[in-house]
């Protein structure tokens, strides 16, 4: 409904990013309720693997259990939440801003604007708080003719700016509030009433949210690409206008 416009615009942004910069954006369901997918290779995961089942989880065994749980919850007229993981590959180093418009801040802003979202984390996220700096730091190394990091706890962004590694983040979606079970509440006057929703309602929204996460990431990155292009254009203009011998 409201998100259809985001997906339409994001599809254009994704195509621009792919054709002009080689950027690839892929999201998948990594958890439904307490069922989590196993480790997924961020470099080799494909859309075909994600779309191979209805729940959009590339871990086949976990996907089967997720689908069974959603069916069970639907039968019980209840709902469950989940987590979507997204990876952005081949993002050029240098995209982003160091202070107020940090790339991770803009991604967080975009993701938390999606309906039903309740959490955002990038790289190691909250798990990183359990590590020491010596273990959490991402040392740089030279490999395959380029500089890269040994680990990617920062999730591809350091100091608010993309470092050339895959950008990986996770978005938490709450259980849908509209369920078929009766719930006791009050009306505007404070009188007790029983609320029982009618009609078709999703018991879990995460499979539907996968393309929304992807396209919102595309919109953020496309904006960063335009900003970077403008900055480089101004820099080149200043250089050409600089007096000879200055």
């Amino acid at each position: 409904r409201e998100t259809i416009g985001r997906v339409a615009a994001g599809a254009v942004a994704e195509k621009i990013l792919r054709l002009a910069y080689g950027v690839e954006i892929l999201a998948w369901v990594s958890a439904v309720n307490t069922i989590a997918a196993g480790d997924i290779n961020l470099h080799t995961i494909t859309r075909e693997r994600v779309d191979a089942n209805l729940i959009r989880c590339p871990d086949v065994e976990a996907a089967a259990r997720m689908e069974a749980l959603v069916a069970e919850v639907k039968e019980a007229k209840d709902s469950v939440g989940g987590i979507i993981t997204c990876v952005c590959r081949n993002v050029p180093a240098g995209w982003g801003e160091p202070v107020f418009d940090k790339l991770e801040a803009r991604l967080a802003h975009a993701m938390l604007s999606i309906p039903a979202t309740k959490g955002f984390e990038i790289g190691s996220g909250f798990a990183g708080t359990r590590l020491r700096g010596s273990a959490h730091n991402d040392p740089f190394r030279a490999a395959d003719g380029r500089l890269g990091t040994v680990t990617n706890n920062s999730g591809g962004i350091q100091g608010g700016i993309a470092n050339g590694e895959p950008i990986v983040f996770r978005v938490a979606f709450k259980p849908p509030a509209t369920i078929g079970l009766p719930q006791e509440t009050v009306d505007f006057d404070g009188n007790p009433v029983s609320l029982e929703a009618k009609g078709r309602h999703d018991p879990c929204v995460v499979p539907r949210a996968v393309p929304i996460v992807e396209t919102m990431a595309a919109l953020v990155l496309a904006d960063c690409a335009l900003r970077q292009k403008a900055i480089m254009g101004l820099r080149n203009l200043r250089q050409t206008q600089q007096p000879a011998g200055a």
Side-chain angles (χ1 to χ4, degrees):
R1 304 175 184 93
E2 174 268 314
T3 54
I4 190 171
R6 304 176 187 227
V7 174
V12 176
E14 275 194 271
K15 188 169 185 179
I16 293 172
L17 290 167
R18 184 175 66 254
L19 296 179
Y21 302 97
V23 173
E24 299 175 336
I25 302 173
L26 188 65
W28 62 92
V29 174
S30 53
V32 170
N33 196 245
T34 59
I35 302 173
D39 291 336
I40 303 297
N41 190 316
L42 301 178
H43 299 278
T44 60
I45 181 65
T46 63
R47 192 173 302 279
E48 288 71 26
R49 282 186 61 195
V50 173
D51 291 340
N53 52 69
L54 293 176
I55 206 73
R56 283 177 165 156
C57 174
D59 182 332
V60 177
E61 189 275 332
R65 292 191 291 129
M66 290 175 183
E67 290 180 6
L69 174 62
V70 172
E72 176 187 332
V73 168
K74 182 178 181 180
E75 182 67 23
K77 297 183 179 181
D78 213 333
S79 64
V80 288
I83 299 172
I84 290 177
T85 298
C86 182
V87 62
C88 306
R89 299 187 288 234
N90 303 322
V91 177
W95 286 9
E97 301 289 339
V99 188
F100 298 109
D101 281 336
K102 292 177 182 287
L103 182 48
E104 64 263 50
R106 300 196 67 202
L107 286 169
H109 185 179
M111 297 307 146
L112 293 177
S113 74
I114 301 173
T117 54
K118 286 297 179 182
F120 173 88
E121 63 175 6
I122 186 164
S124 63
F126 290 100
T129 63
R130 297 192 289 270
L131 298 176
R132 295 190 178 189
S134 55
H136 189 268
N137 289 340
D138 295 323
F140 278 87
R141 67 176 177 181
D144 301 324
R146 61 177 288 271
L147 290 178
T149 58
V150 178
T151 53
N152 193 21
N153 290 314
S154 61
I157 302 174
Q158 291 177 310
I161 298 174
N163 66 6
E165 296 300 311
I167 294 174
V168 56
F169 60 86
R170 291 164 294 281
V171 187
F173 287 80
K174 70 181 181 68
T178 305
I179 60 176
L181 290 174
Q183 300 174 87
E184 301 306 314
T185 183
V186 296
D187 59 20
F188 283 111
D189 297 320
N191 301 310
V193 294
S194 180
L195 176 65
E196 187 173 355
K198 304 295 182 181
R200 188 195 68 80
H201 302 288
D202 291 329
C204 182
V205 299
V206 284
R208 292 179 180 270
V210 165
I212 306 173
V213 168
E214 291 177 343
T215 51
M216 289 304 292
L219 289 171
V220 170
L221 292 177
D223 193 30
C224 286
L226 291 174
R227 286 190 178 200
Q228 190 72 3
K229 189 174 182 179
I231 291 170
M232 296 306 296
L234 286 173
R235 181 177 300 171
N236 293 335
L237 179 62
R238 287 169 182 164
Q239 290 176 347
T240 58
Q241 292 178 342
Q242 191 173 18

